[in-house]
Amino acid sequence: MVATLALYNPVNRHPFVNYDDDRYVTENPHVHNGLTGDTIAWAFRATEQGNWHPLTWLSHALDYQLFHQNPAGHHFTSVLIHAANAVLLFLFLMYVTRRLGPSLFVASLFAFHPINVESVAWVAERKNVLCTFFFFATLIAYGWYARKPEWRRYLAFTGLFALGLMSKPMVITLPFVLLLLDYWPLGRIRGGPPGSLPQSRLSKLMVEKLSLLGFSVASAVTTRHAQAAGRARPPPA
């Protein structure tokens, strides 16, 4: 985490850019109000920028309340979230594979790979690092549930998935990712690679994901209408 913060430290000296940063932060009157009841209500009904991502709006509002027009604070928040994402990925891989070396290598590759620079260094792309945070958190919670399936643990990873969708619909495919994890490394699918967890029929594990799939469908429909409202695509027929 410290290495990630050091690597991205230069972005704390960068200004806002005039491509989307204005619409997300510097010239958005709702965000300028900070975390108020009106801002929260707006965030959950807003389709600005062609997306429905209330948690992203609230993240920007909180940053503005703390840092106002100082870009350093906004950049630092994104860097901090990215560093936390690398830690979450390492913890997840260690939890499900028990292999330190490969887990550390993959997490380090994620932390330092230049493919993430745009998401971390561009304030308007906060939605990427934020939804990635909840994506990895959901994976950890799912691994926790898989070891002892019960409703509280089920609600935990389902709730985290919902928060991910409220950050950016990019995590919409997560139910299928969980099925892949059931195959390996969790080994929960009967007939698949053996693991330390009890195995079940594939059909049963698919039923287990139906509530998540329902969230994904709802997110897809909401995003379709948000894109139309934001004129990012033609309106639905």
Side-chain angles (χ1 to χ4, degrees), residues 159-205:
L160 287 167
F161 175 53
L163 292 175
L165 291 173
M166 287 191 284
S167 302
K168 187 179 181 180
M170 182 173 69
V171 295
I172 196 171
T173 58
L174 189 137
F176 303 100
V177 173
L178 298 185
L179 282 175
L180 291 175
L181 292 177
D182 285 336
Y183 181 77
W184 186 89
L186 295 177
R188 298 182 70 207
I189 298 178
R190 186 174 298 167
S196 60
L197 303 179
Q199 292 191 328
S200 302
R201 296 188 307 274
L202 176 61
S203 58
K204 180 179 179 181
L205 296 175

Side-chain angles (χ1 to χ4, degrees), residues 15-162:
F16 291 112
V17 297
N18 61 1
Y19 188 71
D20 282 356
D21 281 0
D22 51 349
R23 298 179 181 182
Y24 272 92
V25 179
T26 59
E27 297 179 14
N28 189 308
H30 302 285
V31 169
H32 292 182
N33 289 333
L35 280 182
T36 65
D38 288 342
T39 302
I40 294 172
W42 167 80
F44 276 89
R45 66 173 183 268
T47 56
E48 295 186 19
Q49 304 310 303
N51 277 300
W52 183 80
H53 44 29
L55 215 58
T56 293
W57 287 123
L58 296 178
S59 169
H60 286 302
L62 177 59
D63 266 7
Y64 198 90
Q65 185 170 313
L66 295 173
F67 310 116
H68 300 289
Q69 294 277 10
N70 181 1
H74 299 261
H75 282 301
F76 182 72
T77 299
S78 293
V79 172
L80 195 61
I81 295 173
H82 178 62
N85 289 345
V87 173
L88 287 178
L89 178 58
F90 170 73
L91 293 175
F92 165 70
L93 293 173
M94 272 294 296
Y95 189 66
V96 297
T97 69
R98 307 296 186 185
R99 300 181 66 187
L100 175 61
S103 299
L104 184 60
F105 173 76
V106 173
S108 299
L109 186 63
F110 169 81
F112 304 142
H113 199 286
I115 197 173
N116 290 310
V117 169
E118 180 182 284
S119 298
V120 181
W122 184 10
V123 171
E125 285 298 277
R126 169 70 56 76
K127 52 186 176 288
N128 280 0
V129 292
L130 194 61
C131 82
T132 300
F133 177 87
F134 289 110
F135 179 86
F136 289 150
T138 302
L139 296 185
I140 292 175
Y142 182 73
W144 181 55
Y145 161 82
R147 295 188 183 280
K148 186 182 177 182
E150 53 104 7
W151 69 270
R152 293 178 187 84
R153 298 186 181 201
Y154 188 90
L155 288 180
F157 78 79
T158 303
L160 287 167
F161 175 53

